[in-house]
Amino acid sequence: MSQERSKPRVAFVCVHNSCRSQMAEALTKYYGGERVDAFSGGTALKSAINPQAVALIKELYGIDMNETQRPKLLTELPEVDRVVTMGCNVVCPVLPYEYESEDWGLEDPTGKPREEFIQVIREIDEKVQELLKGL
């Protein structure tokens, strides 16, 4: 971690930065915002965060991602200490600096029934909490 920063930075990466990576960013800020700076980004953009993700994160956690987040390209993110890919089954680009990385291998819940979408949210919740324990 850079000497100028007091908190580690984590970036969650998914192709479109519209669903899983956005939810991971929101939950990391929710659980550990005082200890870590969380970001998310993608290699291509959707115009908005997945509406079902927005609705369920608001319902389950009271977080309005439309007010606090937006889809972003990786090039818009600051230098981070750790990159977490969501499991997009594509080769993620390599960022031009050193960082730790891991892949969570999550299914994309887009277009799936509510119960399956919530299951992915619960998986992200568990993984975020585990990540925070290790920072």
Side-chain angles (χ1 to χ4, degrees), residues 10 19 24 59 63 74 81 104 109 115 117:
V10 178
C19 190
E59 176 186 325
I63 302 166
L74 287 178
D81 304 296
W104 285 357
E115 299 74 31
F117 212 107

Side-chain angles (χ1 to χ4, degrees), residues 8-128:
R9 290 178 174 170
V10 178
F12 299 96
V13 176
C14 207
V15 174
H16 294 113
N17 187 223
S18 65
C19 190
R20 291 166 290 175
S21 55
Q22 291 283 354
M23 294 188 296
E25 177 186 352
L27 292 179
T28 301
K29 289 175 178 175
Y30 179 77
Y31 287 119
E34 72 287 341
R35 297 186 297 132
V36 64
D37 287 327
F39 305 92
S40 65
T43 54
L45 285 185
K46 293 272 185 176
S47 60
I49 301 173
N50 179 303
Q52 192 172 9
V54 170
L56 288 172
I57 291 293
K58 189 167 189 174
E59 176 186 325
L60 297 171
Y61 299 93
I63 302 166
D64 187 346
M65 292 192 299
N66 280 334
E67 287 187 7
T68 59
Q69 295 168 214
R70 64 177 175 78
K72 298 165 291 304
L73 290 172
L74 287 178
T75 55
E76 295 180 61
L77 303 183
E79 189 170 313
V80 297
D81 304 296
R82 182 174 295 200
V83 172
V84 178
T85 53
M86 298 289 103
C88 307
N89 299 320
V90 296
V91 176
C92 286
V94 176
L95 299 172
Y97 51 84
E98 289 187 31
Y99 53 87
E100 293 181 43
S101 64
E102 63 185 276
D103 182 82
W104 285 357
L106 298 167
E107 289 293 319
D108 185 356
T110 301
K112 303 246 170 93
R114 175 184 167 87
E115 299 74 31
E116 289 182 48
F117 212 107
I118 289 173
Q119 180 55 42
V120 171
I121 292 171
R122 301 244 185 268
E123 288 178 50
I124 292 170
D125 185 305
E126 288 175 20
K127 289 180 177 295
V128 162

